[in-house]
Every structure is written in structure tokens, then in C-alpha cells.
Amino acid sequence: MKLLKGVIGSVIIVASLSIQAIAASPAEDKAIETIADQSLQFVKVDRRQEAEELLNVFSERFLDMASQGNQYSMDEINIVTIALEDAMNAVQDTEKSNQEAVNEMTKFRLAFDAVSHDKSPLWTKMRGQILEAVKDTREAVKNQDSVVFHEELNRLLNIYNILYPSLKIDVTPEKFQQVDAHLKFIDQYRPQVFSDSSEQKDMASLEGQLRDIFDEAEKDDTDPSLWWVIISTGSIILMTLSYVGFRKYKAREEITFTKKKNRDI
């Protein structure tokens, strides 16, 4: 499903009035960040139509800003627009649970924050969650509990899926590729990692690489006013979703942003 393009129509629901007011703010940088924040909040309370409208406004504003200068690199534009498209698809897909939509919206929100702020990116607040998932996966291997191993590894991969665009934006290519390669290997060769002690060193290596990434990103103090954006992400850890979404995202990584399909409101 392609993203919608065009201006919000003149006849819209009452909720759209506040959307237009936000989009019309003269402080463009702050306005577009507010749009991204509000769209996430709408999805959290299962108000998908309002979230979709805001995402359409965000898309227009983001592309306008991207075309006006060198604020974003081409890689950043590509990464954010793919995350935006995934978020829009999740919001529009009635077969997806609301939690799945929240996960995709969080991924998009973190990616946009990563291109908007050089210091204290919001994705660093998920350090504890991903490191805990690595630890629990290692414990399952140590205890030779196959069921828990697959559950915890799926949880780890789901968290990584949410962080993936942000890491690609903020982390050096070498460090990003190291982590990405380790996770690919562990996922592809689950039976060997679980049963062969010589392969289990990859889990320890992965944990060290992730710690290095977060340590580097957290050298600056985080702005406390931004923390609220991540407040409800703890619930995403409880879900054991399939890894299909992550693979689909990576397969479409080089797809450029397409024109959005007009939709009646």
C-alpha cells in the first residue's frame, strides 16, 4: 500500500482541524516534530484515522524540508521515508493489531528523531530493553531451554527491528554491520547457536558490540523533556511477533519514496 500524497481536503473531520493547525506552525522544525509525536500518541490510543492524517501531513512537510536544502542526507531521507511507509501501512492495515501499529510508529518516530538531533537520540532509551533480551537469550542457551530461547531471540529481533533505522542513521557503518551480521547469523543458525557451545560466543560478542554502541551514543546527557516519547514502549517487549516484518523492511531498503495515493476522508 503506497503512501498518500496531496494536501488534506477542505472537508475533513473535526479532529483534522487541530492537525492543520499544527502543520501550519511557523516554527517548521518544531511543528513537524510535534506532528510525529502526536501521530504516535494517536496510535497508542487506537485512533488510527487521525494518525494516518497526521502521517500524510508529516510526509508533505518532510519532503518539502528535504527539498529545500542540505538538512538531511539522501540516506537519511531514504531511511526515514521507508520507516514512514511502514508506519502508514501498519496504521492502514486493519488486520494488524494495535500493538503492531505502535511498534511500527515507534520505529518511525525514533528514526525521525535520529535525523533531527545530533545529541541524545531517543533510541538510546531502549538500551536496557535490548540488552536484557540478549541476556535472557544467553540464559536460555545456558539452561538449554529451547522454548525460552526462541521466545527471547524473537523478542530481541523485534526490538532490533524497531531500532534498525535509527542505528543505521547514527551508528558508524562498521559497528552497524558487525551487529547486523551477528544477529543475522544467530537467527539463521538458531539450532547451532543453541546446541553448540563454540557458537555461543556470538551472543557474548553481540552483547559487547551493543554496549559499545549505546555507550558511544550516551556520552551526552539526554534531554529529559524528550523521554515521554518512549514511555509505553515497554509493552512492545511482551510481544513475540514474527520476524517477517524485519526481513521485509530490509528487502525494501533501497526502494525510493513513491507518490502517495489520494484517499477520501
Side-chain angles (χ1 to χ4, degrees), residues 141-142 144 193-204:
V141 172
K142 180 180 177 181
Q144 285 296 282
V193 172
F194 178 73
S195 60
D196 189 345
S197 59
S198 66
E199 301 289 356
Q200 293 170 18
K201 64 182 183 298
D202 282 280
M203 292 300 302

Side-chain angles (χ1 to χ4, degrees), residues 24-32:
S25 170
E28 191 68 21
D29 288 350
K30 182 62 178 176
I32 194 171

Side-chain angles (χ1 to χ4, degrees), residues 143-181:
N143 297 330
Q144 285 296 282
D145 189 328
S146 177
V147 174
V148 174
F149 169 72
H150 288 291
E151 288 177 351
E152 292 302 327
L153 182 53
N154 285 341
R155 182 166 69 106
L156 169 60
L157 294 172
N158 288 328
I159 299 169
Y160 180 67
N161 179 38
I162 292 170
L163 289 172
Y164 181 86
S166 301
L167 295 179
K168 194 165 187 186
I169 291 166
D170 280 344
V171 178
T172 62
E174 291 100 344
K175 289 185 177 181
F176 174 79
Q177 289 164 11
Q178 284 178 343
V179 169
D180 197 56

Side-chain angles (χ1 to χ4, degrees), residues 55-66:
L55 289 175
N56 285 319
V57 176
F58 176 93
S59 179
E60 277 195 26
R61 296 292 177 175
F62 180 71
L63 290 177
D64 285 345
M65 292 173 67

Side-chain angles (χ1 to χ4, degrees), residues 5 65 76 138 143 151 172 216 231 247 249 262:
K5 187 169 185 177
M65 292 173 67
E76 290 174 338
R138 291 182 64 188
N143 297 330
E151 288 177 351
T172 62
E216 182 70 23
I231 282 177
R247 290 190 175 118
Y249 179 87
N262 288 325

Side-chain angles (χ1 to χ4, degrees), residues 42-257:
F42 274 140
V43 173
K44 286 179 180 178
V45 295
D46 204 13
R47 293 171 63 182
R48 296 197 187 189
Q49 183 175 353
E50 291 96 327
E52 182 180 342
E53 291 168 3
L54 278 176
L55 289 175
N56 285 319
V57 176
F58 176 93
S59 179
E60 277 195 26
R61 296 292 177 175
F62 180 71
L63 290 177
D64 285 345
M65 292 173 67
S67 65
Q68 289 171 5
N70 58 357
Q71 183 171 356
Y72 310 115
S73 69
M74 288 305 299
D75 283 344
E76 290 174 338
I77 294 171
N78 191 44
I79 292 169
V80 170
T81 52
I82 290 175
L84 173 61
E85 185 173 86
D86 284 346
M88 179 66 85
N89 289 340
V91 167
Q92 293 174 334
D93 189 348
T94 57
E95 294 186 359
K96 284 191 179 293
S97 69
N98 197 59
Q99 188 60 65
E100 289 176 284
V102 169
N103 289 357
E104 291 300 325
M105 285 294 301
T106 302
K107 179 174 72 174
F108 152 67
R109 180 63 188 95
L110 295 179
F112 179 62
D113 178 79
V115 301
S116 302
H117 300 281
D118 293 332
K119 297 181 180 180
S120 306
L122 288 173
W123 61 263
T124 60
K125 307 315 294 178
M126 295 184 70
R127 173 190 181 120
Q129 297 175 31
I130 195 167
L131 290 179
E132 180 185 25
V134 174
K135 175 179 173 292
D136 290 345
T137 304
R138 291 182 64 188
E139 283 295 315
V141 172
K142 180 180 177 181
N143 297 330
Q144 285 296 282
D145 189 328
S146 177
V147 174
V148 174
F149 169 72
H150 288 291
E151 288 177 351
E152 292 302 327
L153 182 53
N154 285 341
R155 182 166 69 106
L156 169 60
L157 294 172
N158 288 328
I159 299 169
Y160 180 67
N161 179 38
I162 292 170
L163 289 172
Y164 181 86
S166 301
L167 295 179
K168 194 165 187 186
I169 291 166
D170 280 344
V171 178
T172 62
E174 291 100 344
K175 289 185 177 181
F176 174 79
Q177 289 164 11
Q178 284 178 343
V179 169
D180 197 56
H182 263 115
L183 279 166
K184 278 185 186 175
F185 177 86
I186 293 168
D187 183 42
Q188 185 174 356
Y189 298 101
R190 291 184 183 219
Q192 293 93 317
V193 172
F194 178 73
S195 60
D196 189 345
S197 59
S198 66
E199 301 289 356
Q200 293 170 18
K201 64 182 183 298
D202 282 280
M203 292 300 302
S205 179
L206 172 64
E207 183 175 3
Q209 290 166 358
L210 286 170
R211 287 187 184 279
D212 287 345
I213 285 174
F214 280 92
D215 287 344
E216 182 70 23
E218 291 171 345
K219 284 183 177 178
D220 300 300
D221 292 333
T222 304
D223 180 356
S225 67
L226 299 176
W227 289 8
W228 67 271
V229 179
I230 303 302
I231 282 177
S232 69
T233 58
S235 59
I236 58 181
I237 310 308
L238 301 177
M239 296 194 64
T240 306
L241 305 175
S242 69
Y243 198 30
V244 174
F246 171 62
R247 290 190 175 118
K248 179 181 176 184
Y249 179 87
K250 295 196 69 178
R252 297 186 300 111
E253 204 172 320
E254 299 303 322
I255 298 177
T256 55
F257 186 63

